[in-house]
Amino acid sequence: MAVLELLQETHPGLVRGDPNVSVPPEVSQQWEESLQTIDSGSVAEIRHKVNFLSLGLARGQQALGWDVRVPAPLHLVRPAASPFTPSSFKRLSDYRDWCRHADHAIQQPDFQTLLLHGNGKKGHRRLEPEMISWGLFLYCVITNDGLLGSQHLNALPLATTTLAVHESSAWFVLHETVPSGMPSKKRMLPRSRWQLGVAALAVLMRHIQHFGHPDPKCGDYQQARMFTQRAWLHFCCALQAEKLSLSAFREQASTAFRLHVPAYLVNSAHGKHPGTSLAEARWHQLLTGGYVEHAKPKNEQGGGLSTAGSGLASMATKHRERDQPLYEGRVLLKSLHDTLYKRRNQKRLKFEALSRELENATVASQRMAPIVECLCRWLLFLHQKQKRKQATLYKYIGVSMSLLQAMGDTPVDQDRLAVLVEAYQYVVEQAKTEKNRSYRWAVLRSFHSFLVADLGLANVSMAFADGGATVAHHADANCLSEDEYRQIAGYLASRTASIMGQIRYWAFVLGFRAGLRIGEALSIQLDDVLLHQAVQDTDVTLLVRNNEYVGVKSHDSRRQLPLHHLLTGTELEDFKAFVANRQAVAIHGRVMLFGEGSGSVAPLHDDEVQAEIHETMRRITGDSSLRFHHLRHSLANYLLLSFHGVSIPWAAPSHHDALWEKIADGPSRSGLYFVAQLMGHACPDVTLRSYLHFSCLLLDHYCHQRSASMEGRLPSHSIAQLEPLAGVLGIKPATLRKWKERFGERPPLWLNKAFPQCPLIDVAQREVEPYPALPARILPERQGLSQLSLEQLAAALEALHQRDIDDVEHIFNLYEGEAERLTSCAGRVLTARTRRGMSAFRHYRITKGKQPAPSNRAHPRLPTPHSLAERSVVHAMYQVIWSRWFKQHPDELRKQLRFFYRYHRATDGHVWIRDADDGLAFVSWVLSLDARVKAFIEITPSAQSPLPAKQQLNEWKKRLPSHHHKVEWQLKSPGKRYSKPLGTGNVTFYVVNKNKRARSGYPARYVLVMACIVMAAVAKKP
């Protein structure tokens, strides 16, 4: 009634149900505020009133056409149930009593006798020494090391062969491979590394010394699970304690852990949303440093499955121009989908007819997005090699068509495997039922198996669990150490003579220091960098947000990054200098920070930047799986480890302490949300689940380094932890003290002396190979004019109007005197006159209102092409001119540019051809610069020639050396001015641009004019 009375006061038509009632937005907002500020009534009553108002207005919008803003309904958010209840504390008290009894019983002679000899009985009363020993190990890893998950404990017998040590730490690797016997309904956990405490390591080494590894006795997962359950039962009987199941003991230990350890670490120890640990070879490399040549996967080695697996010609060896837009790929897949659909009144296609349709589609897809070609090749493989039915192909393409929407133009290769996996998840999430989700995942598994055979992608093991698509054992966990970062950054810094070298260097630095994705780094605009150059110690903030060319990955990816905390002092000053340099060149703030010219409003392509970064990372470390996205993972892990105060056993960033000055002491949720905000995640769960690869170091910190974190408060030194087990291990405390004096605080080395038959992998024994040699001189060298890109050249010419010559040479890293020669040659080329008089220039024309009048002080300004599609063409043409023709055929280049310089007529927009042979050779040379350049030639036949006009035109066509398909011809009226036997001609070069109706001849002429300017400046060099 309160809501209806409120509406009756201002808009009674809403209460009566009148149609087309209009309510101002501020009125509906006043209604919502008045309902929420009423003093009388509980929170539940206020929520019910607001929801009643929201539901009524929403229905009026739909049924009666009301023009009203509907307030958002209020939902009841219930917090997760607390694990601490009176019953849990009662069980915790029983757990502590049980552990005290177990610690006392372990030191008694009766237990130690059973551990050595058993009880000699038969049947179910028999207690075996091996089972008691393994049960003691389970007790140690649960109570002291935090190993709480049932799958972790069951997998222990299969993982003891991975036992490795380094200095004072020891660990083993769980779930490296999927064991046989694993139930299909059980979710397989990713690779996990577990740090062992001193007590657990001692008991394990004693067990291996006396009984060997349990792996040969436990052939599969089910036998290992039975072995674990049986060992715990024998251990409880040997203690003569109250029988307690292993699952109940784990739950009680979890409650004890939650009192001192962050909840997300306890959940990870239980196997809930665990992160993937690094591969063992990469972990060893981080611990010891140096270069390690990692073994490549089988699908990356020579003689792979690409040809034999699929039976098709390898797609990876074909490099074609993919010039078709995305909607053409969609049309092709839709036409295939319609072709495969069989109606009741139609017959199925014959094998040959269907093969022909799929082969034609595969050929057509080679000019489309890579994912379209992969799908067509997959369907052809299923039809020809696996003999799948037409109906099956129809269902498969119906499921997989959505991959085009998720992938777009993204290449399908190993470096973008994470993008492909996200596309798989996108397709699965579109399903509306659990059955359809499972079917979609089965289809995608078939598609990925084909990509493994055809393209050599990593064979990730995919599973469907928890109502969503997950990827288990996806070996994408990796990280860089600080030493490796400095080696790679130093190498990239030595190649910063060119602007692309500087872009690669700073993209790499921001990826490692600020956690930027490659797309986010390349889409930074100058307005996104907030700093005051006039202030000496100014804060530098980077905004990651959308712009008109690039969108961030998600809404939460928009963020502010404090670069004055994330970068080191030296890097921050160098970055500010780089930004100042770009601001001096750019024409406005929307220009890309990582761009080549003054008007680079479109971001660079990923492969132009990250390809060389990938090559450098892999060459220096030896790990072929490293990629740019792992820089982001490195930052997330180092921030989390430094937030918890964990001592990292290798070189790590040491300047992250400034980030935590405003964070409360101890692990708080605010600190985790701060890390998630820096990474652009909606909540810390995403960061902890997908980015944390060093949970073993966190658990080791809370279980072993901080004695107050554990029940019973473990002693800080190792001898005190081993003394209660002296009778079990058979080692005297005096012997332990003697080993400590001789070998230092290295318990694995002591225990190796006591149990020499226990094999260990000692990482410290690995011979460290130094990193590959880097250039001795890191300072960048200067670059010449011929090494500038077209964007840089245009920016340099523009800067010469506003800045001194010395400043331009410093900004563009030119040699001394090159800027002066550039402005001199630009003025000479652009002010060259035609024979029409002093008002006509040969290489640029004055347009009223657009071109300023030329002056004696500076050269005229030549505008760049406006269309982005045309800019890509002119940049490619300019690069070909200087990378191929200038280096390999300089004389031919000078000859063609001289022809253009002499006969170019900017006023008419064409190049005059006086001699047919020389002119057609020039036309053929220009057309060879890029496939997207075409020519239109107008022939003016000579009236004085003995040949008729059409025959003169045929002679022109015959004498064209090449590229006949790119030339259009037109015959004009005969002329009497020149007595050439074949007449004269005018050629107009244009770039194919579907966004324009008229042919644009300016871009090609712009490239040639700029090339003439640079060639004149280079030839003028003393």
Side-chain angles (χ1 to χ4, degrees):
M1 292 300 297
V3 177
L4 296 178
E5 292 174 359
L6 189 64
L7 300 180
Q8 183 70 27
E9 294 178 0
T10 57
H11 291 75
L14 298 178
V15 181
R16 294 193 302 266
D18 296 343
N20 302 323
V21 178
S22 178
V23 181
E26 57 271 10
V27 175
S28 61
Q29 185 176 359
Q30 292 175 1
W31 291 341
E32 185 180 2
E33 292 177 353
S34 61
L35 291 177
Q36 294 182 359
T37 55
I38 296 177
D39 296 334
S40 61
S42 63
V43 176
E45 293 177 353
I46 294 176
R47 185 175 67 253
H48 293 330
K49 292 177 182 178
V50 173
N51 291 345
F52 178 75
L53 174 65
S54 176
L55 180 61
L57 295 179
R59 290 185 176 179
Q61 269 187 338
Q62 298 174 358
L64 301 176
W66 291 351
D67 182 12
V68 59
R69 186 188 70 86
V70 179
L74 300 179
H75 300 286
L76 178 61
V77 180
R78 296 183 179 180
S82 173
F84 302 111
T85 60
S87 59
S88 67
F89 280 112
K90 173 63 172 61
R91 292 192 295 270
L92 177 61
S93 178
D94 298 337
Y95 164 79
R96 289 170 174 170
D97 294 339
W98 199 93
C99 289
R100 279 193 290 268
H101 172 76
D103 293 338
H104 176 73
I106 289 172
Q107 303 179 35
Q108 302 306 312
D110 294 343
F111 176 84
Q112 296 172 9
T113 302
L114 291 174
L115 185 62
L116 289 174
H117 309 291
N119 61 359
K121 296 183 179 180
K122 297 182 179 180
H124 67 279
R125 291 187 174 88
R126 177 181 174 84
L127 299 180
E128 300 178 9
E130 182 179 2
M131 295 293 105
I132 300 174
S133 176
W134 191 256
L136 176 59
F137 174 64
L138 293 176
Y139 172 76
C140 292
V141 296
I142 293 175
T143 56
N144 297 337
D145 301 337
L147 196 67
L148 305 174
S150 61
Q151 279 188 261
H152 292 329
L153 294 173
N154 294 335
L156 276 179
L158 307 176
T160 57
T161 55
T162 64
L163 180 62
V165 299
H166 179 261
E167 300 296 338
S168 60
S169 61
W171 66 89
F172 52 80
V173 181
L174 297 172
H175 317 299
E176 180 66 37
T177 58
V178 180
S180 58
M182 173 67 70
S184 58
K185 296 183 179 180
K186 188 174 281 292
R187 181 168 62 97
M188 186 60 197
L189 298 177
R191 182 197 304 114
S192 301
R193 183 171 289 100
W194 221 269
Q195 303 280 123
L196 289 175
V198 178
L201 176 63
V203 173
L204 177 60
M205 293 183 68
R206 178 197 175 276
H207 180 91
I208 298 175
Q209 171 89 2
H210 287 82
F211 308 106
H213 290 286
D215 189 9
K217 306 165 189 175
C218 304
D220 57 9
Y221 178 81
Q222 293 296 339
Q223 294 180 10
R225 187 178 66 86
M226 296 300 297
F227 180 85
T228 301
Q229 297 291 336
R230 183 183 174 193
W232 180 255
L233 180 62
H234 283 227
F235 173 70
C236 293
C237 293
L239 291 177
Q240 298 180 357
E242 178 186 358
K243 289 187 178 181
L244 188 63
S245 65
L246 186 58
S247 60
F249 187 75
R250 289 190 302 102
E251 291 300 326
Q252 295 172 5
S254 301
T255 305
F257 267 82
R258 292 182 189 276
L259 295 175
H260 310 283
V261 181
Y264 60 87
L265 289 180
V266 180
N267 293 335
S268 178
H270 267 287
K272 299 177 181 177
H273 305 299
T276 304
S277 299
L278 269 65
E280 189 71 356
R282 182 65 179 147
W283 176 264
H284 294 177
Q285 183 180 10
L286 289 177
L287 291 175
T288 58
Y291 173 83
V292 175
E293 186 174 358
H294 294 259
K296 292 185 178 181
K298 292 182 179 180
N299 49 45
E300 295 184 14
Q301 297 175 359
L305 301 174
S306 59
T307 303
S310 65
L312 305 175
S314 177
M315 172 182 163
T317 60
K318 299 178 181 179
H319 302 279
R320 295 183 176 88
E321 181 184 358
R322 302 185 182 274
D323 54 355
Q324 296 296 322
L326 287 178
Y327 67 85
E328 293 291 347
R330 172 71 181 177
V331 171
L332 176 64
L333 294 179
K334 187 66 172 61
S335 64
L336 266 183
H337 189 256
D338 296 340
T339 302
L340 294 172
Y341 178 71
K342 191 192 78 66
R343 296 169 177 82
R344 288 188 177 181
N345 57 350
Q346 291 180 342
K347 294 182 179 180
R348 290 194 302 269
L349 294 175
K350 294 184 178 181
F351 185 87
E352 294 78 7
L354 185 54
S355 297
R356 194 180 310 111
E357 292 287 342
L358 294 175
E359 289 172 355
N360 295 335
T362 303
V363 173
S365 66
Q366 293 171 358
R367 299 179 58 189
M368 301 176 183
I371 189 65
V372 178
E373 183 178 358
C374 291
L375 290 174
C376 293
R377 290 170 59 83
W378 173 52
L379 294 174
L380 182 61
F381 168 74
L382 293 177
H383 171 65
Q384 291 185 344
K385 302 300 178 182
Q386 296 192 353
K387 303 299 187 293
R388 295 294 175 89
K389 296 188 297 184
Q390 180 179 336
T392 303
L393 299 181
Y394 171 77
K395 294 178 182 178
Y396 277 20
I397 193 174
V399 169
S400 56
M401 281 174 61
S402 301
L403 288 174
L404 175 61
Q405 182 180 356
M407 291 285 292
D409 285 325
T410 304
V412 181
D413 53 25
Q414 182 65 33
D415 291 337
R416 296 164 184 83
L417 187 58
V419 180
L420 184 62
V421 172
E422 291 180 2
Y424 292 159
Q425 296 175 350
Y426 169 78
V427 173
V428 173
E429 289 168 1
Q430 289 182 330
K432 297 181 179 180
T433 63
E434 291 298 319
K435 182 178 180 180
N436 187 253
R437 286 171 182 257
S438 180
Y439 177 75
R440 284 172 176 256
W441 202 237
V443 173
L444 295 177
R445 276 201 299 269
S446 172
F447 176 65
H448 191 80
S449 299
F450 169 78
L451 294 182
V452 170
D454 193 49
L455 298 181
L457 297 187
N459 191 8
V460 295
S461 175
M462 297 179 284
F464 179 79
D466 298 336
T470 60
V471 178
H473 284 266
H474 178 42
D476 196 34
N478 218 323
C479 179
L480 278 183
S481 68
E482 182 72 12
D483 288 343
E484 293 172 340
Y485 162 76
R486 294 189 180 278
Q487 293 285 332
I488 299 169
Y491 178 78
L492 293 175
S494 68
R495 303 171 65 85
T496 54
S498 63
I499 184 63
M500 284 303 300
Q502 299 176 25
I503 291 174
R504 293 186 184 100
Y505 171 76
W506 284 114
F508 172 75
V509 170
L510 292 181
F512 184 82
R513 296 295 192 201
L516 292 182
R517 303 176 178 93
I518 183 62
E520 294 172 344
L522 298 182
S523 62
I524 299 173
Q525 297 177 340
L526 288 176
D527 287 342
D528 296 336
V529 184
L530 307 182
L531 78 163
H532 299 281
Q533 294 286 0
V535 181
Q536 183 176 3
D537 296 328
T538 179
D539 292 348
V540 182
T541 304
L542 178 62
L543 303 181
V544 180
R545 56 185 178 179
N546 291 326
N547 58 54
E548 56 185 344
Y549 293 100
V550 178
V552 294
K553 183 177 180 180
S554 63
H555 177 80
D556 300 291
S557 297
R558 303 179 301 175
R559 58 195 186 275
Q560 299 180 10
L561 299 176
L563 296 185
H564 49 282
H565 290 318
L566 295 174
L567 300 180
T568 63
T570 305
E571 292 170 345
L572 183 62
E573 295 301 322
D574 294 343
F575 180 73
K576 289 194 289 187
F578 175 76
V579 174
N581 196 1
R582 287 292 298 156
Q583 289 175 341
V585 175
I587 58 178
H588 51 72
R590 298 187 305 278
V591 171
M592 293 295 165
L593 174 65
F594 297 134
E596 294 186 275
S598 60
S600 305
V601 295
L604 297 171
H605 197 273
D606 295 359
D607 288 340
E608 297 182 55
V609 179
Q610 70 176 1
E612 186 170 340
I613 297 177
H614 286 171
E615 181 183 357
T616 305
M617 293 168 61
R618 295 163 183 174
R619 186 174 67 86
I620 289 182
T621 63
D623 188 355
S624 60
S625 66
L626 272 174
R627 56 192 183 90
F628 190 91
H629 198 71
H630 292 140
L631 304 176
R632 175 176 168 84
H633 284 238
S634 303
L635 176 69
N637 282 275
Y638 288 139
L639 286 176
L640 289 169
L641 293 176
S642 62
F643 169 62
H644 288 278
V646 177
S647 178
I648 304 175
W650 58 80
S654 58
H655 63 285
H656 285 164
D657 296 338
L659 288 172
W660 311 118
E661 291 180 355
K662 297 182 180 181
I663 303 297
D665 295 336
S668 62
R669 294 290 290 178
S670 60
L672 293 179
Y673 271 95
F674 182 68
V675 176
Q677 189 272 335
L678 288 179
M679 304 307 298
H681 295 154
C683 62
D685 292 340
V686 180
T687 310
L688 298 172
R689 181 176 65 250
S690 303
Y691 281 72
L692 181 58
H693 306 312
F694 300 127
S695 56
C696 58
L697 295 179
L698 288 173
L699 282 170
D700 177 64
H701 173 74
Y702 282 101
C703 295
H704 306 138
Q705 309 300 329
R706 294 179 54 178
S707 60
S709 301
M710 292 300 302
E711 291 291 315
R713 298 180 180 270
L714 293 175
S716 57
H717 52 92
S718 304
I719 294 180
Q721 299 180 38
L722 292 176
E723 283 180 348
L725 299 173
V728 174
L729 302 176
I731 307 174
K732 298 179 180 180
T735 305
L736 294 175
R737 287 190 289 271
K738 181 179 67 175
W739 286 341
K740 181 179 180 180
E741 294 177 0
R742 181 180 302 176
F743 304 110
E745 190 68 24
R746 299 179 62 183
L749 188 57
W750 311 344
L751 297 174
N752 196 23
K753 295 292 182 182
F755 308 110
Q757 297 182 8
C758 175
L760 287 176
I761 303 174
D762 192 353
V763 180
Q765 298 296 327
R766 184 180 73 87
E767 183 178 355
V768 179
E769 184 177 349
Y771 294 109
L774 295 175
R777 195 160 67 93
I778 303 300
L779 295 176
E781 298 179 356
R782 296 187 178 274
Q783 58 180 353
L785 282 174
S786 60
Q787 296 175 347
L788 294 179
S789 65
L790 185 59
E791 278 190 293
Q792 289 179 279
L793 179 62
L797 289 173
E798 183 66 25
L800 286 171
H801 285 272
Q802 306 169 358
R803 295 180 174 273
D804 296 336
I805 291 177
D806 295 338
D807 293 340
V808 174
E809 288 180 351
H810 173 72
I811 291 174
F812 294 93
N813 204 18
L814 299 176
Y815 288 106
E816 183 179 357
E818 283 193 328
E820 184 177 0
R821 293 197 303 273
L822 178 63
T823 185
S824 174
C825 294
R828 182 162 58 90
V829 171
L830 296 178
T831 57
R833 304 282 183 172
T834 64
R835 295 183 180 179
R836 294 189 177 183
M838 299 300 294
S839 62
F841 292 98
R842 186 181 299 176
H843 300 297
Y844 96 102
R845 61 184 178 184
I846 301 177
T847 303
K848 186 177 180 180
K850 295 185 179 181
Q851 288 285 359
S855 64
N856 296 328
R857 293 178 298 175
H859 59 268
R861 293 180 175 178
L862 197 65
T864 59
H866 296 291
S867 173
L868 294 178
E870 295 171 354
R871 287 187 185 183
S872 63
V873 178
V874 298
H875 294 163
M877 293 176 62
Y878 190 82
Q879 183 180 5
V880 171
I881 288 175
W882 296 105
S883 64
R884 188 176 69 186
W885 289 95
F886 182 72
K887 292 182 178 180
Q888 301 177 7
H889 310 286
D891 295 336
E892 181 67 19
L893 176 62
R894 291 189 185 94
K895 175 184 175 182
Q896 302 301 341
L897 290 181
R898 283 172 182 161
F899 183 91
F900 173 80
Y901 179 82
R902 183 178 181 183
Y903 296 110
H904 177 217
R905 300 294 181 263
T907 305
D908 300 322
H910 61 238
V911 180
W912 182 46
I913 302 178
R914 184 172 183 176
D915 182 78
D917 293 331
D918 293 342
L920 292 176
F922 170 75
V923 171
S924 179
W925 176 77
V926 174
L927 294 178
S928 68
L929 297 179
D930 193 270
R932 292 164 288 184
V933 179
K934 296 186 178 182
F936 175 73
I937 302 179
E938 292 180 322
I939 303 300
T940 302
S942 175
Q944 304 176 17
S945 173
L947 299 176
K950 291 186 177 181
Q951 190 172 352
Q952 293 182 42
L953 176 62
N954 292 333
E955 288 295 328
W956 280 78
K957 293 181 179 180
K958 292 178 182 179
R959 298 190 183 191
L960 181 64
S962 59
H963 301 89
H964 298 270
H965 63 287
K966 298 170 66 176
V967 178
E968 295 183 26
W969 303 86
Q970 183 176 349
L971 190 65
K972 299 178 66 176
S973 301
K976 300 180 180 180
R977 183 174 182 182
Y978 297 98
S979 60
K980 296 288 183 177
L982 297 180
T984 60
N986 298 323
V987 57
T988 302
F989 300 102
Y990 65 93
V991 176
V992 178
N993 190 349
K994 296 182 178 180
N995 299 325
K996 290 185 177 181
R997 294 182 179 179
R999 293 170 176 174
S1000 179
Y1002 179 72
R1005 295 187 293 109
Y1006 170 79
V1007 174
L1008 297 175
V1009 172
M1010 298 294 275
C1012 288
I1013 295 174
V1014 177
M1015 178 61 75
V1018 171
K1020 195 177 179 181
K1021 181 177 179 181

